[in-house]
Amino acid sequence: MKKILLMLVALIATSFSAMAEDIYIVAGSEELCGTAWDCTDLNNKMTDNGDGTYSKTFTNVAAMNGYQFKVTKNGTEWYGDEAGNNITFNVTTACDVTITFNATTFKSTVTGSGVQAYVFNVEKVIAVGNGAGAWLNGANWDPNADANKMTQVADKVYEISFDNVPVGEDYMVKFATNGTWADNFGGFFEASGKESDAMYNSGNITFNLEKAGTVKLRLDLSKFDYATRTGAKFVITLPGSEPAELTYFMKHPWGGADWTWKPMAKNTEKKFAMFDGDGEVAEYGWVVNGKWGDNGVSINAKEDDTNSKWIAEPHTFSTPQLGEDCRFFYFPETQDVVLVIPERWAKVETSFDPAPGEYTGPLTVRVKCQNIPCEISNIKYFFNDNVNDQVLYDDAKGIVLTESTNLAAFVNFADGNTLTVVGKYVITKPTGVNDITTTANTKAQKVIENGQVLIIKDGKKYNLLGNQVK
């Protein structure tokens, strides 16, 4: 009996051990894996090397650019590169390709005699989607359909037009490069003629067509950064000659009530705008007033959930209380973010006195704060974006400027919140000699010759020491 019990225990232990085994599978391009992105294909199961790594060797992989894969764990967890993107590589000559995955660092390596690191390079761009009839020349999700090859109209800028596209809903399109899905761009359609972010290896761009005619597509990769997979832009212009008037709507559980759409208005207040490094307005954005509902927001160009953009965690200034009156700002151009400011903070006024501009130095600048909801802890300022070289502000002394600078100040409040004041000052130095203005005949005149200040009197020239210059 004891032997039987021991055997049963051993069997149970073995069973639990088998149940606890993690299964790692390579899922990726069909050309590499035999199936396309299948995390259940046991033909691509990786071997446990016993040292915390797993590997899978694919034999006689054909030469091709843009193989892609991720390593999956138990069919639920996917591991790509450090940014979570697909891992991409080239094979220059047919060879065996081994993929090794470190289960501790979650990093993968690819080795093989013909394996080469992938370099992003655009040879052609194809418009790809649910083509039918005139739309996409009838090509249905074909990344190598040369009929839909876009024309390069400027450096890294591509365009294509499709005529006689009929009225319809749920037109879909993406932009695929080099005849494969390795590098493609999707995104969120906002409005006709509106430039929007083209997101790397993202979802389909979907739009409706209310009037038949020509649909024009544009992809701008001139500012695309492959390292961060950001910077690409797209524009879709629909029939109707002029681009649609752009509007935005926001959906939110206002004050915790039912979710409803509210129209946004263009922001006109400079203090709530996005600024660039020179203190100039980069974008005014859009605004709507409402009560904080302690949740995310949806953004759309119409009062409709279709193709709306969900922003789960809006940026909040201070901590809005449930039901508190707030201003909701949306900045689609510069950062594509939503900022929520409680009304008690929206009334605060912070500025430099005198206002940024051109002055003769030295100039004393002070920080002005009005309608503040709590005490100021301290104010620190710095010059020309040198945020690490902050100086503690003393209102008795002010900030003395002797040369041109981009001035910024952090107003730090006792409750932990901070407001920023920025401005560009152009400071000119005094010459030491002022022009003479008189209602009578001018007796003397100041001139500058060869960088030297001279005084002309009675037709003779004198320097500032009183010596005549001949």
Side-chain angles (χ1 to χ4, degrees):
M1 179 63 71
K2 183 180 292 186
K3 289 184 178 180
I4 294 175
L5 287 174
L6 289 173
M7 289 177 63
L8 285 173
V9 171
L11 287 172
I12 292 172
T14 303
S15 176
F16 274 103
S17 174
M19 290 174 62
E21 178 189 1
D22 289 323
I23 298 177
Y24 292 88
I25 290 176
V26 178
S29 308
E30 185 175 359
E31 296 87 350
L32 175 69
C33 300
T35 54
W37 299 99
D38 187 354
C39 63
T40 65
D41 189 347
L42 293 178
N43 292 318
N44 299 322
K45 180 181 176 182
M46 306 184 80
T47 301
D48 186 349
N49 298 321
D51 59 357
T53 65
Y54 295 78
S55 61
K56 167 65 180 175
T57 298
F58 297 90
T59 59
N60 197 31
V61 177
M64 190 184 87
N65 290 337
Y67 284 106
Q68 289 191 321
F69 74 92
K70 284 186 176 180
V71 172
T72 68
K73 177 182 177 182
N74 300 330
T76 58
E77 300 176 28
W78 294 70
Y79 299 100
D81 61 16
E82 293 181 355
N85 297 302
N86 300 333
I87 297 173
T88 309
F89 65 94
N90 297 338
V91 174
T92 56
T93 56
C95 67
D96 292 349
V97 173
T98 299
I99 296 174
T100 303
F101 177 72
N102 188 314
T104 301
T105 63
F106 308 119
K107 292 184 178 180
S108 297
T109 57
V110 185
T111 55
S113 60
V115 171
Q116 186 180 74
Y118 181 74
V119 178
F120 179 73
N121 180 50
V122 178
E123 296 176 359
K124 65 179 180 179
V125 178
I126 305 293
V128 188
N130 57 346
W135 171 237
L136 298 173
N137 293 303
N140 188 42
W141 298 109
D142 184 357
N144 204 28
D146 281 340
N148 298 325
K149 180 180 178 181
M150 302 179 73
T151 301
Q152 185 167 340
V153 296
D155 184 33
K156 301 179 182 178
V157 179
Y158 307 84
E159 291 183 352
I160 191 171
S161 294
F162 300 94
D163 298 328
N164 303 313
V165 181
V167 172
E169 295 183 349
D170 295 331
Y171 282 97
M172 298 182 189
V173 69
K174 297 182 80 172
F175 304 97
T177 66
N178 305 332
T180 74
W181 289 109
D183 300 301
N184 69 83
F185 298 86
F188 168 76
F189 175 76
E190 296 178 88
S192 175
K194 169 74 169 58
E195 185 176 71
S196 305
D197 291 330
M199 294 178 281
Y200 181 80
N201 284 0
S202 182
N204 303 327
I205 303 167
T206 305
F207 62 92
N208 300 329
L209 205 56
E210 298 177 355
K211 180 180 179 181
T214 299
V215 176
K216 181 179 179 180
L217 309 178
R218 177 183 175 92
L219 178 67
D220 185 348
L221 299 178
S222 61
K223 296 182 180 178
F224 176 65
D225 177 25
Y226 185 75
T228 61
R229 311 299 203 271
T230 60
K233 300 287 185 180
F234 78 89
V235 178
I236 298 179
T237 304
L238 305 182
S241 299
E242 297 299 326
E245 178 69 22
L246 182 62
T247 58
Y248 284 106
F249 294 84
M250 179 178 288
K251 189 177 183 180
H252 181 69
W254 310 103
D258 293 336
W259 292 78
T260 55
W261 287 98
K262 283 190 176 186
M264 305 191 79
K266 290 183 178 180
N267 174 46
T268 57
E269 296 186 69
K270 187 174 182 180
K271 74 173 184 176
F272 297 119
M274 284 281 187
F275 292 86
D276 60 22
D278 293 330
E280 300 296 328
V281 174
E283 181 186 1
Y284 277 96
W286 300 74
V287 63
V288 62
N289 295 335
K291 295 184 181 297
W292 174 242
D294 196 24
N295 209 317
V297 302
S298 291
I299 301 290
N300 206 347
K302 55 185 178 179
E303 298 178 83
D304 191 342
D305 291 333
T306 305
N307 300 324
S308 63
K309 177 180 292 187
W310 171 246
I311 299 178
E313 297 182 356
H315 297 276
T316 57
F317 188 87
S318 183
T319 304
Q321 303 301 310
L322 182 63
E324 182 175 8
D325 290 330
C326 296
R327 300 188 194 184
F328 293 72
F329 295 89
Y330 177 48
F331 299 96
E333 300 291 340
T334 52
Q335 297 188 29
D336 194 23
V337 297
V338 168
L339 173 64
V340 183
I341 303 178
E343 193 63 33
R344 55 192 160 93
W345 280 99
K347 297 177 180 178
V348 177
E349 298 284 347
T350 55
S351 61
F352 286 132
D353 183 25
E358 297 186 15
Y359 298 92
T360 299
L363 176 72
T364 300
V365 178
R366 287 184 167 81
V367 181
K368 293 177 60 179
C369 300
Q370 298 174 299
N371 305 322
I372 58 176
C374 65
E375 292 184 357
I376 295 175
S377 175
N378 61 68
I379 301 174
K380 294 183 178 180
Y381 63 91
F382 55 94
F383 307 108
N384 295 323
D385 303 323
N386 294 322
V387 69
N388 294 322
D389 296 327
Q390 297 181 32
V391 180
L392 188 63
Y393 172 76
D394 182 350
D395 191 61
K397 299 179 181 178
I399 306 168
V400 180
L401 304 180
T402 58
E403 58 185 25
S404 299
T405 186
N406 291 329
L407 178 63
F410 289 148
V411 182
N412 301 307
F413 291 88
D415 65 353
N417 289 304
T418 299
L419 290 176
T420 305
V421 191
V422 295
K424 184 175 183 179
Y425 286 87
V426 178
I427 305 298
T428 57
K429 296 181 180 180
T431 61
V433 178
N434 296 323
D435 289 326
I436 299 172
T437 303
T438 177
T439 56
N441 293 330
T442 301
K443 301 299 183 182
Q445 180 183 10
K446 180 190 75 174
V447 298
I448 299 177
E449 292 185 1
N450 300 321
Q452 184 180 13
V453 179
L454 302 176
I455 303 299
I456 300 177
K457 185 175 184 298
D458 298 331
K460 298 180 180 180
K461 297 178 182 179
Y462 301 87
N463 61 25
L464 296 182
L465 297 178
N467 299 321
Q468 185 177 353
V469 179
K470 297 183 178 180

